[in-house]
Amino acid sequence: MSSTWRMVVGAIGLVALSVAFLAIVYMTAPASPEPDLARSRSSAKGLFAVSIAPEAGEPRQGDLHAWVVTVKTRQGAPVEGAAITVGGGMPEHAHGLPTSPEATAYLGDGRYRIEGMKFSMTGWWQLKLAIAAPSGVDEATFNLVL
Ligand SMILES: [Cu+2]
């Protein structure tokens, strides 16, 4: 084989490999990234460890229901005396929450009850909690898919 011929064959081989690689990447990549559905996370600035849980079973579309939000320090100590403001909505639909949920009670051990939650549609919701405690102010965003 002449060296020119060898180079041509090599180049064709490289192109074929690249096409195969791109095809695999394209076919295995998810169409859109799934939201992170973790119900425990660090707040945005890392001030608090925040968890959420529905107070009674998984919420269904249209149900008015309550959540319990647990706020702890990074070291795991309960955060008391926090004011929690609830926001959110559906990022894909550019609308907010259909209700105005509020923190209505401190349940002890860093737990706060959020009442008046309602998911009026199925799909991807975000729950945004602004937490103002004596030790500082931070926020945490949770994703929920109904
Ligand atoms: Cu919607």
Side-chain angles (χ1 to χ4, degrees):
M1 254 200 295
S2 77
S3 65
T4 310
W5 183 239
R6 217 174 303 163
M7 270 174 60
V8 168
V9 170
I12 290 171
L14 265 179
V15 167
L17 263 178
S18 307
V19 168
F21 176 75
L22 285 175
I24 288 167
V25 167
Y26 182 78
M27 286 187 304
T28 54
S32 60
E34 287 293 306
D36 176 2
L37 300 178
R39 290 192 174 174
S40 294
R41 60 173 58 251
S42 184
S43 56
K45 289 188 286 185
L47 229 48
F48 308 119
V50 188
S51 309
I52 59 165
E55 190 164 44
E58 286 300 306
R60 288 175 308 179
Q61 182 189 354
D63 281 356
L64 208 55
H65 65 282
W67 286 75
V68 174
V69 176
T70 305
V71 186
K72 301 216 163 159
T73 64
R74 263 191 298 195
Q75 291 75 31
V79 173
E80 307 205 318
I84 300 179
T85 312
V86 184
M90 296 186 86
E92 292 170 319
H93 300 175
H95 63 72
L97 298 174
T99 55
S100 302
E102 285 184 14
T104 54
Y106 180 61
L107 307 172
D109 205 26
R111 295 175 305 132
Y112 300 79
R113 180 184 288 124
I114 307 292
E115 282 187 277
M117 287 289 303
K118 183 169 156 180
F119 300 118
S120 48
M121 305 172 73
T122 56
W124 172 26
W125 290 85
Q126 278 186 329
L127 188 58
K128 299 184 182 201
L129 305 174
I131 301 163
S135 55
V137 174
D138 208 347
E139 54 183 47
T141 299
F142 293 89
N143 298 294
L144 297 150
V145 174
L146 228 71

